[in-house]
């Protein structure tokens, strides 16, 4: 440590420090700043402590939005992950079918998010939409603008259609990375198709599935554009998710203090759940040691 | 159990992976398939295992045609280049897996798993996951999984190639010991001549999907029937000296005359290539019969505890293998001693015409060549 003065290497860290400060720390601190003060205008502010947090945490509309959000993300994971794996397993392994299925799968991922909402509005319209008119033609009343259940069904369909391909692509890349010898070894052992999946394919896909689950959880928990375009949070508040509610407070009502407090809580929830998922998935394989 | 391959071809798309392969393996025999990368070793193993169907030809086990029978219904175990274990199962469960599928009793499984693990010295690692093991330990687990089944046919596809030098040596010795106690047919593929010699048994030398020569490993090593076999079964590569045989002498390179005696006396007059292994070229005179070659050093490299000296003589590269680590300067003059006794003569068609251990020029113990089907 006697050469401390000469240690100019510290300067090399500086650019990164500056970039991170401007890209993450300063914006975040601005939010923290808003969350702890009541600000009317330039120079007019008063420190309010944890008041905005208390107000936000006791807001029952926020509680509702939070449960809705968990329900939505939970359903997204329960449907998209198994479905994505199934699609990946069914995809061809060689030949022209590989590129054909990869391109087809990637299509929904290339469409801008608000366009997706518009596509599904038109698709499900009871009067002219292909899906909406067809369903109504079967004498089933289906209208996502008036029935909360229909709105949820439409949203789930849209979400699954939009994002399952990502899970499938990730799972497919994981499957393709398994050396052929594993499958031969399983065959020689006489292992069943299920055992091959359970003891070779699934464990070998753990890495990519961890990424898929984390991405899908975070993304679905932050979902905004698609439901905003499709339902605008309605009918009633039935599809008002956290981000939609947050924008209502921040932009609609211009309540920056509560909105900032809300944002920080939102951030902590996502961080916490991502960490929980990550920890759980890291320990999945090891649990079998004693089993 | 005896295994017989009959006129097997394997064609994938337009590529011929195997051509006219006929082989016979006796129960309890140790067999090596030696060939360079992409020679067709793995294709051949896969057909023996029943993982692939031959395009043409038949596979018999004890005179029963098993060509179309699924690998699941055969008694086979296989070890791969890569370390193949079930990633989420412990070493114990990995070794137990084939027995579990076979539906054995718990106590018997336990007993056999522990016994096999002990043979491979992994009995203290039974609770670990494959990812918590070193490469050598992972391959030991995979070998244990193959052995525990006590299958009739044990296939090993370059099992040691991904291990470092020391582990390879260690396992090679252990494997030799393990194989000698097995009743199964052991088939072991490798690219390395040294490994082939160590495992012993019988050898099948293949190249570009064809059998070049078969026979007891040491016989084939001493009498490579063609230049091609000599090249595959020699590391460092076989050295060649051009020569001419006249009525009473043979002349090598730049006027080195050697009287015809011993195994040379049967050579017909003509052009020959004389092959000599790198470890049969000496830097000091060891016997009266040796002839001298004077040249200069082009390159000297040290590999492990051996030194390889490369020289150019009569427009061909020669490699001299020396035990121990020695330093040589490039460009220095050097004198080699060649004992004619070690030379192997190849005629203009690349066929072995005479070798030290060959009984006559047409040889009874020269293995089967080229178009031969390899019957014993």
């Amino acid at each position: 440590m006697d050469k401390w003065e000469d240690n100019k290497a510290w300067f090399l860290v500086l650019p990164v420090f500056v970039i991170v400060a401007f890209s993450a720390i300063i914006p975040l601190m601005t939010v923290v700043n808003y969350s702890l003060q009541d600000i009317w205008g330039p120079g007019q502010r008063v420190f309010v402590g944890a008041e905005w947090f208390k107000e936000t945490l006791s807001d029952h509309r926020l509680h509702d939005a939070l449960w809705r959000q968990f329900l939505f993300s939970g359903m997204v994971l329960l449907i998209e992950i198994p479905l994505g794996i199934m699609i990946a397993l069914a995809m061809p392994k060689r030949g022209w079918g590989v590129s054909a299925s990869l391109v087809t799968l990637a299509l929904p991922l290339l469409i801008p998010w608000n366009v997706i909402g518009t596509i599904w509005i038109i698709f499900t319209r009871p009067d002219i939409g292909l899906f909406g008119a067809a369903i109504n033609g079967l004498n089933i009343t289906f209208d996502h603008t008036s029935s909360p259940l229909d709105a949820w069904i439409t949203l789930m369909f849209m979400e699954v259609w939009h994002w399952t391909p990502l899970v499938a692509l990730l799972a497919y890349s994981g499957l393709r990375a398994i050396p052929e010898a594993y499958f031969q070894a399983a065959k020689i052992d006489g292992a069943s198709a299920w055992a091959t999946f359970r003891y070779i394919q699934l464990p070998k896909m753990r890495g990519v599935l961890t990424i898929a689950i984390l991405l899908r959880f975070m993304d679905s928990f932050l979902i905004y554009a698609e439901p905003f375009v499709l339902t605008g949070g309605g009918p009633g508040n039935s599809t008002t998710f956290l981000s939609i509610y947050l924008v209502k407070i921040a932009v609609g009502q211009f309540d920056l203090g509560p909105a900032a407090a809300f944002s920080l809580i939102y951030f902590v929830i996502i961080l916490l759940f991502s960490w929980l998922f990550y920890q759980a998935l890291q320990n999945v394989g090891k649990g079998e040691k004693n089993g | 159990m005896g295994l017989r391959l009959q006129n097997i071809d394997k064609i994938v798309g337009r590529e011929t992976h195997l051509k006219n392969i006929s082989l016979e393996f006796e129960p309890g025999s140790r067999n090596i398939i030696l060939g360079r990368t992409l020679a067709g070793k793995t294709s051949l193993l896969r057909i023996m295992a029943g993982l692939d169907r031959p395009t043409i030809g038949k596979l018999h086990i004890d005179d029963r045609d098993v060509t179309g029978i699924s690998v699941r219904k055969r008694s086979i175990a296989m070890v791969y280049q890569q370390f193949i274990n079930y990633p989420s199962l412990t070493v114990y469960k990995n070794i137990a897996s084939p027995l579990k599928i076979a539906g054995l009793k718990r106590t018997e499984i336990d007993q056999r798993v522990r016994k096999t693990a002990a043979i491979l010295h992994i009995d203290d690692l039974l609770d670990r996951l494959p990812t918590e093991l070193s490469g050598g330990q992972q391959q030991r687990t995979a070998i244990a999984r193959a052995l525990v089944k006590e299958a009739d046919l044990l296939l090993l596809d370059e099992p040691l190639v991904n291990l470092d030098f020391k582990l390879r040596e260690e396992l090679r010795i252990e494997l030799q010991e393990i194989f000698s106690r097995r009743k199964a047919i052991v088939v072991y593929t490798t690219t390395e001549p040294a490994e082939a010699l160590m495992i012993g048994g019988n050898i099948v030398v293949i190249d570009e999907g064809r059998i070049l020569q078969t026979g007891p490993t040491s016989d084939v090593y001493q009498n490579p029937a063609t230049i091609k076999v000599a090249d595959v079964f020699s590391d460092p590569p076989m050295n060649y000296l051009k020569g001419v045989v006249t009525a009473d002498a043979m002349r090598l390179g730049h006027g080195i005359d050697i009287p015809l005696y011993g195994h040379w006396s049967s050579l017909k007059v003509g052009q020959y290539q004389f092959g000599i292994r790198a470890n049969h070229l000496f830097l000091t005179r060891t016997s009266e019969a040796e002839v001298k070659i004077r040249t200069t050093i082009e390159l000297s490299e040290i590999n492990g505890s051996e030194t390889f000296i490369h020289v150019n003589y009569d427009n061909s590269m020669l490699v001299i293998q020396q035990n121990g680590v020695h330093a040589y300067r490039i460009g220095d003059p050097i004198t080699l001693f060649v004992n004619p006794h070690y030379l192997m003569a190849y005629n203009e068609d690349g066929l072995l015409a005479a070798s030290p251990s060959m009984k006559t020029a047409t040889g009874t113990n020269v293995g089967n060549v080229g178009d031969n089907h390899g019957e014993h």
Side-chain angles (χ1 to χ4, degrees), chain B residues 181-197:
Chain B
R181 295 183 188 176
R182 295 266 139 187
K183 289 191 285 286
I185 298 175
V186 178
V187 183
Y188 188 108
T189 73
T190 182
T191 55
E192 286 183 46
E195 194 160 292
L197 286 170

mmCIF file with all atom_site columns, all heavy atoms in Angstrom, chain B residues 181-197:
data_model
loop_
_atom_site.group_PDB
_atom_site.id
_atom_site.type_symbol
_atom_site.label_atom_id
_atom_site.label_alt_id
_atom_site.label_comp_id
_atom_site.label_asym_id
_atom_site.label_entity_id
_atom_site.label_seq_id
_atom_site.pdbx_PDB_ins_code
_atom_site.Cartn_x
_atom_site.Cartn_y
_atom_site.Cartn_z
_atom_site.occupancy
_atom_site.B_iso_or_equiv
_atom_site.pdbx_formal_charge
_atom_site.auth_seq_id
_atom_site.auth_comp_id
_atom_site.auth_asym_id
_atom_site.auth_atom_id
_atom_site.pdbx_PDB_model_num
ATOM 1   N N   . ARG B 1 181 ? -10.207 -58.363 -17.076 1.00 0.00 ? 181 ARG B N   1
ATOM 2   C CA  . ARG B 1 181 ? -11.085 -59.154 -16.199 1.00 0.00 ? 181 ARG B CA  1
ATOM 3   C C   . ARG B 1 181 ? -12.500 -59.278 -16.740 1.00 0.00 ? 181 ARG B C   1
ATOM 4   O O   . ARG B 1 181 ? -13.376 -59.808 -16.074 1.00 0.00 ? 181 ARG B O   1
ATOM 5   C CB  . ARG B 1 181 ? -11.158 -58.493 -14.823 1.00 0.00 ? 181 ARG B CB  1
ATOM 6   C CG  . ARG B 1 181 ? -9.836  -58.505 -14.137 1.00 0.00 ? 181 ARG B CG  1
ATOM 7   C CD  . ARG B 1 181 ? -9.967  -57.921 -12.784 1.00 0.00 ? 181 ARG B CD  1
ATOM 8   N NE  . ARG B 1 181 ? -8.665  -57.756 -12.182 1.00 0.00 ? 181 ARG B NE  1
ATOM 9   C CZ  . ARG B 1 181 ? -8.468  -57.192 -11.006 1.00 0.00 ? 181 ARG B CZ  1
ATOM 10  N NH1 . ARG B 1 181 ? -9.497  -56.759 -10.328 1.00 0.00 ? 181 ARG B NH1 1
ATOM 11  N NH2 . ARG B 1 181 ? -7.272  -57.090 -10.519 1.00 0.00 ? 181 ARG B NH2 1
ATOM 12  N N   . ARG B 1 182 ? -12.737 -58.720 -17.918 1.00 0.00 ? 182 ARG B N   1
ATOM 13  C CA  . ARG B 1 182 ? -14.094 -58.705 -18.450 1.00 0.00 ? 182 ARG B CA  1
ATOM 14  C C   . ARG B 1 182 ? -14.342 -59.881 -19.374 1.00 0.00 ? 182 ARG B C   1
ATOM 15  O O   . ARG B 1 182 ? -13.447 -60.296 -20.107 1.00 0.00 ? 182 ARG B O   1
ATOM 16  C CB  . ARG B 1 182 ? -14.319 -57.411 -19.236 1.00 0.00 ? 182 ARG B CB  1
ATOM 17  C CG  . ARG B 1 182 ? -14.268 -56.190 -18.389 1.00 0.00 ? 182 ARG B CG  1
ATOM 18  C CD  . ARG B 1 182 ? -15.636 -55.793 -17.936 1.00 0.00 ? 182 ARG B CD  1
ATOM 19  N NE  . ARG B 1 182 ? -15.565 -55.369 -16.540 1.00 0.00 ? 182 ARG B NE  1
ATOM 20  C CZ  . ARG B 1 182 ? -16.625 -55.087 -15.792 1.00 0.00 ? 182 ARG B CZ  1
ATOM 21  N NH1 . ARG B 1 182 ? -17.813 -55.208 -16.294 1.00 0.00 ? 182 ARG B NH1 1
ATOM 22  N NH2 . ARG B 1 182 ? -16.487 -54.735 -14.550 1.00 0.00 ? 182 ARG B NH2 1
ATOM 23  N N   . LYS B 1 183 ? -15.570 -60.330 -19.380 1.00 0.00 ? 183 LYS B N   1
ATOM 24  C CA  . LYS B 1 183 ? -15.943 -61.388 -20.313 1.00 0.00 ? 183 LYS B CA  1
ATOM 25  C C   . LYS B 1 183 ? -16.466 -60.793 -21.616 1.00 0.00 ? 183 LYS B C   1
ATOM 26  O O   . LYS B 1 183 ? -16.629 -61.473 -22.599 1.00 0.00 ? 183 LYS B O   1
ATOM 27  C CB  . LYS B 1 183 ? -17.018 -62.273 -19.691 1.00 0.00 ? 183 LYS B CB  1
ATOM 28  C CG  . LYS B 1 183 ? -16.484 -63.145 -18.562 1.00 0.00 ? 183 LYS B CG  1
ATOM 29  C CD  . LYS B 1 183 ? -17.469 -64.191 -18.127 1.00 0.00 ? 183 LYS B CD  1
ATOM 30  C CE  . LYS B 1 183 ? -18.598 -63.639 -17.291 1.00 0.00 ? 183 LYS B CE  1
ATOM 31  N NZ  . LYS B 1 183 ? -18.264 -63.264 -15.918 1.00 0.00 ? 183 LYS B NZ  1
ATOM 32  N N   . ALA B 1 184 ? -16.726 -59.480 -21.569 1.00 0.00 ? 184 ALA B N   1
ATOM 33  C CA  . ALA B 1 184 ? -17.340 -58.810 -22.724 1.00 0.00 ? 184 ALA B CA  1
ATOM 34  C C   . ALA B 1 184 ? -16.345 -58.631 -23.855 1.00 0.00 ? 184 ALA B C   1
ATOM 35  O O   . ALA B 1 184 ? -15.136 -58.706 -23.659 1.00 0.00 ? 184 ALA B O   1
ATOM 36  C CB  . ALA B 1 184 ? -17.866 -57.445 -22.295 1.00 0.00 ? 184 ALA B CB  1
ATOM 37  N N   . ILE B 1 185 ? -16.884 -58.411 -25.043 1.00 0.00 ? 185 ILE B N   1
ATOM 38  C CA  . ILE B 1 185 ? -16.056 -57.959 -26.160 1.00 0.00 ? 185 ILE B CA  1
ATOM 39  C C   . ILE B 1 185 ? -15.792 -56.477 -25.909 1.00 0.00 ? 185 ILE B C   1
ATOM 40  O O   . ILE B 1 185 ? -16.727 -55.704 -25.735 1.00 0.00 ? 185 ILE B O   1
ATOM 41  C CB  . ILE B 1 185 ? -16.806 -58.101 -27.498 1.00 0.00 ? 185 ILE B CB  1
ATOM 42  C CG1 . ILE B 1 185 ? -17.132 -59.559 -27.781 1.00 0.00 ? 185 ILE B CG1 1
ATOM 43  C CG2 . ILE B 1 185 ? -15.995 -57.495 -28.630 1.00 0.00 ? 185 ILE B CG2 1
ATOM 44  C CD1 . ILE B 1 185 ? -17.982 -59.761 -29.020 1.00 0.00 ? 185 ILE B CD1 1
ATOM 45  N N   . VAL B 1 186 ? -14.515 -56.124 -25.863 1.00 0.00 ? 186 VAL B N   1
ATOM 46  C CA  . VAL B 1 186 ? -14.174 -54.717 -25.689 1.00 0.00 ? 186 VAL B CA  1
ATOM 47  C C   . VAL B 1 186 ? -13.700 -54.168 -27.030 1.00 0.00 ? 186 VAL B C   1
ATOM 48  O O   . VAL B 1 186 ? -12.842 -54.764 -27.669 1.00 0.00 ? 186 VAL B O   1
ATOM 49  C CB  . VAL B 1 186 ? -13.066 -54.536 -24.633 1.00 0.00 ? 186 VAL B CB  1
ATOM 50  C CG1 . VAL B 1 186 ? -12.685 -53.073 -24.499 1.00 0.00 ? 186 VAL B CG1 1
ATOM 51  C CG2 . VAL B 1 186 ? -13.494 -55.110 -23.294 1.00 0.00 ? 186 VAL B CG2 1
ATOM 52  N N   . VAL B 1 187 ? -14.307 -53.073 -27.450 1.00 0.00 ? 187 VAL B N   1
ATOM 53  C CA  . VAL B 1 187 ? -13.845 -52.411 -28.674 1.00 0.00 ? 187 VAL B CA  1
ATOM 54  C C   . VAL B 1 187 ? -13.483 -50.979 -28.310 1.00 0.00 ? 187 VAL B C   1
ATOM 55  O O   . VAL B 1 187 ? -14.289 -50.250 -27.737 1.00 0.00 ? 187 VAL B O   1
ATOM 56  C CB  . VAL B 1 187 ? -14.920 -52.418 -29.782 1.00 0.00 ? 187 VAL B CB  1
ATOM 57  C CG1 . VAL B 1 187 ? -14.370 -51.776 -31.049 1.00 0.00 ? 187 VAL B CG1 1
ATOM 58  C CG2 . VAL B 1 187 ? -15.387 -53.822 -30.067 1.00 0.00 ? 187 VAL B CG2 1
ATOM 59  N N   . TYR B 1 188 ? -12.260 -50.627 -28.627 1.00 0.00 ? 188 TYR B N   1
ATOM 60  C CA  . TYR B 1 188 ? -11.685 -49.363 -28.170 1.00 0.00 ? 188 TYR B CA  1
ATOM 61  C C   . TYR B 1 188 ? -11.149 -48.615 -29.382 1.00 0.00 ? 188 TYR B C   1
ATOM 62  O O   . TYR B 1 188 ? -10.311 -49.135 -30.112 1.00 0.00 ? 188 TYR B O   1
ATOM 63  C CB  . TYR B 1 188 ? -10.547 -49.732 -27.213 1.00 0.00 ? 188 TYR B CB  1
ATOM 64  C CG  . TYR B 1 188 ? -9.911  -48.607 -26.462 1.00 0.00 ? 188 TYR B CG  1
ATOM 65  C CD1 . TYR B 1 188 ? -10.143 -48.455 -25.098 1.00 0.00 ? 188 TYR B CD1 1
ATOM 66  C CD2 . TYR B 1 188 ? -9.028  -47.735 -27.077 1.00 0.00 ? 188 TYR B CD2 1
ATOM 67  C CE1 . TYR B 1 188 ? -9.532  -47.437 -24.383 1.00 0.00 ? 188 TYR B CE1 1
ATOM 68  C CE2 . TYR B 1 188 ? -8.417  -46.723 -26.363 1.00 0.00 ? 188 TYR B CE2 1
ATOM 69  C CZ  . TYR B 1 188 ? -8.676  -46.581 -25.021 1.00 0.00 ? 188 TYR B CZ  1
ATOM 70  O OH  . TYR B 1 188 ? -8.070  -45.583 -24.312 1.00 0.00 ? 188 TYR B OH  1
ATOM 71  N N   . THR B 1 189 ? -11.641 -47.409 -29.623 1.00 0.00 ? 189 THR B N   1
ATOM 72  C CA  . THR B 1 189 ? -11.104 -46.670 -30.770 1.00 0.00 ? 189 THR B CA  1
ATOM 73  C C   . THR B 1 189 ? -10.083 -45.648 -30.304 1.00 0.00 ? 189 THR B C   1
ATOM 74  O O   . THR B 1 189 ? -10.190 -45.110 -29.200 1.00 0.00 ? 189 THR B O   1
ATOM 75  C CB  . THR B 1 189 ? -12.199 -45.916 -31.554 1.00 0.00 ? 189 THR B CB  1
ATOM 76  O OG1 . THR B 1 189 ? -12.601 -44.790 -30.778 1.00 0.00 ? 189 THR B OG1 1
ATOM 77  C CG2 . THR B 1 189 ? -13.388 -46.793 -31.842 1.00 0.00 ? 189 THR B CG2 1
ATOM 78  N N   . THR B 1 190 ? -9.109  -45.409 -31.132 1.00 0.00 ? 190 THR B N   1
ATOM 79  C CA  . THR B 1 190 ? -8.106  -44.405 -30.796 1.00 0.00 ? 190 THR B CA  1
ATOM 80  C C   . THR B 1 190 ? -7.414  -43.919 -32.054 1.00 0.00 ? 190 THR B C   1
ATOM 81  O O   . THR B 1 190 ? -7.461  -44.572 -33.099 1.00 0.00 ? 190 THR B O   1
ATOM 82  C CB  . THR B 1 190 ? -7.066  -44.961 -29.791 1.00 0.00 ? 190 THR B CB  1
ATOM 83  O OG1 . THR B 1 190 ? -6.150  -43.927 -29.475 1.00 0.00 ? 190 THR B OG1 1
ATOM 84  C CG2 . THR B 1 190 ? -6.328  -46.150 -30.368 1.00 0.00 ? 190 THR B CG2 1
ATOM 85  N N   . THR B 1 191 ? -6.789  -42.745 -31.936 1.00 0.00 ? 191 THR B N   1
ATOM 86  C CA  . THR B 1 191 ? -5.979  -42.229 -33.037 1.00 0.00 ? 191 THR B CA  1
ATOM 87  C C   . THR B 1 191 ? -4.497  -42.432 -32.728 1.00 0.00 ? 191 THR B C   1
ATOM 88  O O   . THR B 1 191 ? -3.657  -42.199 -33.565 1.00 0.00 ? 191 THR B O   1
ATOM 89  C CB  . THR B 1 191 ? -6.199  -40.719 -33.235 1.00 0.00 ? 191 THR B CB  1
ATOM 90  O OG1 . THR B 1 191 ? -5.945  -40.077 -31.983 1.00 0.00 ? 191 THR B OG1 1
ATOM 91  C CG2 . THR B 1 191 ? -7.609  -40.417 -33.671 1.00 0.00 ? 191 THR B CG2 1
ATOM 92  N N   . GLU B 1 192 ? -4.222  -42.863 -31.474 1.00 0.00 ? 192 GLU B N   1
ATOM 93  C CA  . GLU B 1 192 ? -2.835  -42.878 -31.025 1.00 0.00 ? 192 GLU B CA  1
ATOM 94  C C   . GLU B 1 192 ? -2.204  -44.264 -31.053 1.00 0.00 ? 192 GLU B C   1
ATOM 95  O O   . GLU B 1 192 ? -2.653  -45.168 -30.349 1.00 0.00 ? 192 GLU B O   1
ATOM 96  C CB  . GLU B 1 192 ? -2.766  -42.350 -29.592 1.00 0.00 ? 192 GLU B CB  1
ATOM 97  C CG  . GLU B 1 192 ? -2.943  -40.873 -29.525 1.00 0.00 ? 192 GLU B CG  1
ATOM 98  C CD  . GLU B 1 192 ? -2.806  -40.381 -28.103 1.00 0.00 ? 192 GLU B CD  1
ATOM 99  O OE1 . GLU B 1 192 ? -1.850  -40.819 -27.425 1.00 0.00 ? 192 GLU B OE1 1
ATOM 100 O OE2 . GLU B 1 192 ? -3.664  -39.612 -27.677 1.00 0.00 ? 192 GLU B OE2 1
ATOM 101 N N   . PRO B 1 193 ? -1.144  -44.428 -31.824 1.00 0.00 ? 193 PRO B N   1
ATOM 102 C CA  . PRO B 1 193 ? -0.453  -45.712 -31.883 1.00 0.00 ? 193 PRO B CA  1
ATOM 103 C C   . PRO B 1 193 ? 0.003   -46.196 -30.505 1.00 0.00 ? 193 PRO B C   1
ATOM 104 O O   . PRO B 1 193 ? -0.138  -47.380 -30.182 1.00 0.00 ? 193 PRO B O   1
ATOM 105 C CB  . PRO B 1 193 ? 0.756   -45.410 -32.772 1.00 0.00 ? 193 PRO B CB  1
ATOM 106 C CG  . PRO B 1 193 ? 0.332   -44.277 -33.620 1.00 0.00 ? 193 PRO B CG  1
ATOM 107 C CD  . PRO B 1 193 ? -0.587  -43.455 -32.778 1.00 0.00 ? 193 PRO B CD  1
ATOM 108 N N   . ALA B 1 194 ? 0.505   -45.281 -29.685 1.00 0.00 ? 194 ALA B N   1
ATOM 109 C CA  . ALA B 1 194 ? 1.008   -45.680 -28.369 1.00 0.00 ? 194 ALA B CA  1
ATOM 110 C C   . ALA B 1 194 ? -0.114  -46.286 -27.529 1.00 0.00 ? 194 ALA B C   1
ATOM 111 O O   . ALA B 1 194 ? 0.073   -47.284 -26.823 1.00 0.00 ? 194 ALA B O   1
ATOM 112 C CB  . ALA B 1 194 ? 1.614   -44.476 -27.657 1.00 0.00 ? 194 ALA B CB  1
ATOM 113 N N   . GLU B 1 195 ? -1.297  -45.679 -27.622 1.00 0.00 ? 195 GLU B N   1
ATOM 114 C CA  . GLU B 1 195 ? -2.433  -46.172 -26.858 1.00 0.00 ? 195 GLU B CA  1
ATOM 115 C C   . GLU B 1 195 ? -2.835  -47.564 -27.359 1.00 0.00 ? 195 GLU B C   1
ATOM 116 O O   . GLU B 1 195 ? -3.113  -48.462 -26.565 1.00 0.00 ? 195 GLU B O   1
ATOM 117 C CB  . GLU B 1 195 ? -3.597  -45.196 -27.017 1.00 0.00 ? 195 GLU B CB  1
ATOM 118 C CG  . GLU B 1 195 ? -4.704  -45.406 -26.024 1.00 0.00 ? 195 GLU B CG  1
ATOM 119 C CD  . GLU B 1 195 ? -5.564  -44.159 -25.901 1.00 0.00 ? 195 GLU B CD  1
ATOM 120 O OE1 . GLU B 1 195 ? -5.057  -43.149 -25.386 1.00 0.00 ? 195 GLU B OE1 1
ATOM 121 O OE2 . GLU B 1 195 ? -6.725  -44.197 -26.322 1.00 0.00 ? 195 GLU B OE2 1
ATOM 122 N N   . ALA B 1 196 ? -2.822  -47.720 -28.674 1.00 0.00 ? 196 ALA B N   1
ATOM 123 C CA  . ALA B 1 196 ? -3.177  -49.010 -29.274 1.00 0.00 ? 196 ALA B CA  1
ATOM 124 C C   . ALA B 1 196 ? -2.227  -50.097 -28.778 1.00 0.00 ? 196 ALA B C   1
ATOM 125 O O   . ALA B 1 196 ? -2.649  -51.184 -28.380 1.00 0.00 ? 196 ALA B O   1
ATOM 126 C CB  . ALA B 1 196 ? -3.126  -48.904 -30.787 1.00 0.00 ? 196 ALA B CB  1
ATOM 127 N N   . LEU B 1 197 ? -0.933  -49.791 -28.760 1.00 0.00 ? 197 LEU B N   1
ATOM 128 C CA  . LEU B 1 197 ? 0.054   -50.788 -28.333 1.00 0.00 ? 197 LEU B CA  1
ATOM 129 C C   . LEU B 1 197 ? -0.138  -51.152 -26.871 1.00 0.00 ? 197 LEU B C   1
ATOM 130 O O   . LEU B 1 197 ? 0.044   -52.286 -26.458 1.00 0.00 ? 197 LEU B O   1
ATOM 131 C CB  . LEU B 1 197 ? 1.470   -50.247 -28.551 1.00 0.00 ? 197 LEU B CB  1
ATOM 132 C CG  . LEU B 1 197 ? 1.917   -50.221 -30.004 1.00 0.00 ? 197 LEU B CG  1
ATOM 133 C CD1 . LEU B 1 197 ? 3.214   -49.442 -30.149 1.00 0.00 ? 197 LEU B CD1 1
ATOM 134 C CD2 . LEU B 1 197 ? 2.084   -51.647 -30.534 1.00 0.00 ? 197 LEU B CD2 1
#
